[in-house]
Amino acid sequence: MSLRINTSAVRAVLLADGWHVIVPGSFRLDVLEFSQHDPVVPAGSAEPNPIRSTGGDGFEFEEEDGMVAGPLSSVLAVSYAAPVKSLGSGFDQLAQLLQGEVVQAGGAQAVHFSYGNRQFEVWVDDSGQWAFSLLGHRSGDRELVSHTGLSAAEFRDLPSMVMGEIKGGFGRAQDRPESDPAEGESRSANKRLE
């Protein structure tokens, strides 16, 4: 295993004399070479500075008041910006939270997931809002589609909203007989959710 540190993300370097806050992006690693002349070589010119000594692996960085260079072994630690963890798109995050998968459906992305013994899908509708339905009911009866009122950018609250509606009865009413007197009031409430 190796600890990979992006040198362009280094913000400070700890040397024996303490922490050095560096100019962003100036930390470099290379072979440490010493010469008697300015190390700048004009483009297309032959190397005018003969190397007098090679110091092995080295580092270099810029501070506000100048440059610091030395052997790599003198670096005790570096402070760097933590890498940004890609959470993926809203669809990727939603699929992970709902334990589903991102699919292409109807020419656009959607998330298919299961709850209980049912399959559902979630997508961004034509108005730019999240919608969901039982799988396969997206383009059918619009009463079987729930429009959440959340914009495409607002996906963090979506899983709890979707699961709340599903657990509350979404998608179950069409499986019940129309004339079940024991379910009268809850049947009409479920129909509204659909």
Side-chain angles (χ1 to χ4, degrees), residues 170-184:
F170 179 83
R172 293 193 181 124
Q174 68 269 18
D175 293 338
R176 297 186 185 131
E178 284 294 326
S179 59
D180 185 349
E183 305 246 344

Side-chain angles (χ1 to χ4, degrees), residues 10 12 22 45 59 61 68-69 97 105 118 142 155 160 163 165 178 182 194:
V10 173
I22 70 169
S45 299
F59 71 90
F61 59 81
V68 176
L97 291 168
R118 302 194 177 281
R142 298 314 277 173
F155 58 86
S160 59
M163 293 311 294
E165 283 198 36
E178 284 294 326
E194 295 173 353

Side-chain angles (χ1 to χ4, degrees), residues 1 109 124 128 147:
M1 180 178 122
Q109 284 188 314
V124 175
H147 297 273

Side-chain angles (χ1 to χ4, degrees), residues 87-94 97 122-125 127-131 148-159:
L87 297 176
S89 70
F91 286 99
D92 294 331
Q93 290 184 48
L94 187 59
L97 291 168
V122 182
W123 70 95
V124 175
D125 67 12
S127 69
Q129 294 182 354
W130 289 101
T148 64
L150 296 176
S151 72
E154 300 174 285
F155 58 86
R156 295 199 190 280
D157 295 329
L158 187 61

Side-chain angles (χ1 to χ4, degrees), residues 86-193:
S86 173
L87 297 176
S89 70
F91 286 99
D92 294 331
Q93 290 184 48
L94 187 59
Q96 183 178 9
L97 291 168
L98 293 172
Q99 299 178 352
E101 64 180 341
V102 178
V103 298
Q104 289 290 355
Q109 284 188 314
V111 173
H112 289 182
F113 68 99
S114 299
Y115 179 75
N117 62 350
R118 302 194 177 281
Q119 299 286 314
F120 295 90
E121 68 178 321
V122 182
W123 70 95
V124 175
D125 67 12
D126 295 335
S127 69
Q129 294 182 354
W130 289 101
F132 70 97
S133 71
L134 285 166
L135 187 61
H137 291 286
R138 178 197 291 215
S139 59
D141 185 352
R142 298 314 277 173
E143 289 183 11
L144 297 177
V145 175
S146 177
H147 297 273
T148 64
L150 296 176
S151 72
E154 300 174 285
F155 58 86
R156 295 199 190 280
D157 295 329
L158 187 61
S160 59
M161 178 183 282
V162 168
M163 293 311 294
E165 283 198 36
I166 289 171
K167 289 177 181 178
F170 179 83
R172 293 193 181 124
Q174 68 269 18
D175 293 338
R176 297 186 185 131
E178 284 294 326
S179 59
D180 185 349
E183 305 246 344
E185 191 56 39
S186 67
R187 169 107 171 93
S188 60
N190 284 337
K191 188 66 174 168
R192 284 192 302 270
L193 284 176

